[in-house]
Amino acid sequence: SLKSRFLTPPEFNHEERKKSWLKSRDCLLQVSEQLRAQNILPENTLFSLSHTDQASIALGAEKSALRGVGIDLEPISRALSASAASKFVNESERNLTINAIQIWVVKEACYKANPKNLDTVIPEYRITELKKTASTLEGITVIRDQKIEFLLFLFEPGPLHRFWVSIAKMRI
């Protein structure tokens, strides 16, 4: 069953990591149930998930016009060293109005949205368009001449928890 397939965790060295993994799968099952209530079956659905120690998030979308979807989240408090950022921030992205953790969240979601991601690495994804709307940033990431659209926004589920979230989609 879908439930047993997604809720059987691999071996973890830390109990907190296992709890985080299980919470993300619970989110995935909730999304699947919501889509099923709309007569969208799992075999016709694309899924993506992300989790940290503090939060889990899942995304589901009907396959009809999409090749892939992706989602990622990171706490806004997460800091990245210049050395770490240099491994995935391209020269042209250094002048963008977003910081390294935001670029990471966008690229990770876009990586997940690419059904051929096993042949790619995060630094290959290039943010080529970025525009600000009232509450989000929208843009395009390009990987080997393939466009992936994304949204980047701040998610605040509580006063002590603030996350950057990016949702990406690759159209057919």
Side-chain angles (χ1 to χ4, degrees):
S1 82
L2 183 67
K3 196 170 204 170
S4 64
R5 192 171 118 215
F6 284 120
L7 288 179
T8 305
E11 293 296 319
F12 288 100
N13 293 331
H14 302 287
E15 191 61 28
E16 287 302 312
R17 187 76 177 141
K18 182 177 178 180
K19 286 179 188 176
S20 172
W21 188 92
L22 286 169
K23 284 181 190 175
S24 71
R25 275 32 182 208
D26 185 50
C27 286
L28 189 64
L29 289 172
Q30 289 177 41
V31 167
S32 178
E33 289 168 8
Q34 290 172 4
L35 291 168
R36 189 183 296 268
Q38 299 172 37
N39 295 318
I40 301 171
L41 301 176
E43 55 269 18
N44 298 325
T45 307
L46 299 166
F47 292 101
S48 184
L49 58 93
S50 184
H51 58 96
T52 69
D53 291 344
Q54 303 91 17
S56 298
I57 195 165
L59 170 69
E62 193 170 13
K63 287 182 182 177
S64 60
L66 299 172
R67 290 176 54 205
V69 296
I71 192 164
D72 195 45
L73 85 156
E74 289 291 342
I76 65 167
S77 59
R78 182 174 177 199
L80 289 174
S81 68
S83 174
S86 71
K87 293 180 179 14
F88 64 88
V89 177
N90 298 314
E91 187 68 38
S92 63
E93 295 165 338
R94 291 195 177 114
N95 297 324
L96 295 175
T97 58
I98 58 177
N99 63 35
I101 196 67
Q102 292 168 309
I103 292 171
W104 174 261
V105 171
V106 164
K107 288 186 175 194
E108 181 73 13
C110 291
Y111 175 84
K112 292 175 182 179
N114 182 356
K116 296 183 179 182
N117 63 12
L118 294 179
D119 295 333
T120 66
V121 291
I122 297 286
E124 288 183 280
Y125 292 76
R126 297 181 327 275
I127 299 173
T128 59
E129 294 179 30
L130 188 65
K131 68 178 180 177
K132 186 172 176 49
T133 66
S135 59
T136 65
L137 289 169
E138 299 176 6
I140 302 286
T141 297
V142 175
I143 175 72
R144 299 181 186 161
D145 299 322
Q146 297 289 314
K147 289 185 179 181
I148 303 172
E149 301 167 57
F150 69 83
L151 291 175
L152 175 69
F153 57 93
L154 182 64
F155 175 57
E156 300 181 81
L160 301 177
H161 301 292
R162 300 176 74 204
F163 301 90
W164 289 115
V165 175
S166 183
I167 297 173
K169 64 183 175 185
M170 183 180 253
R171 295 182 191 268
I172 291 178

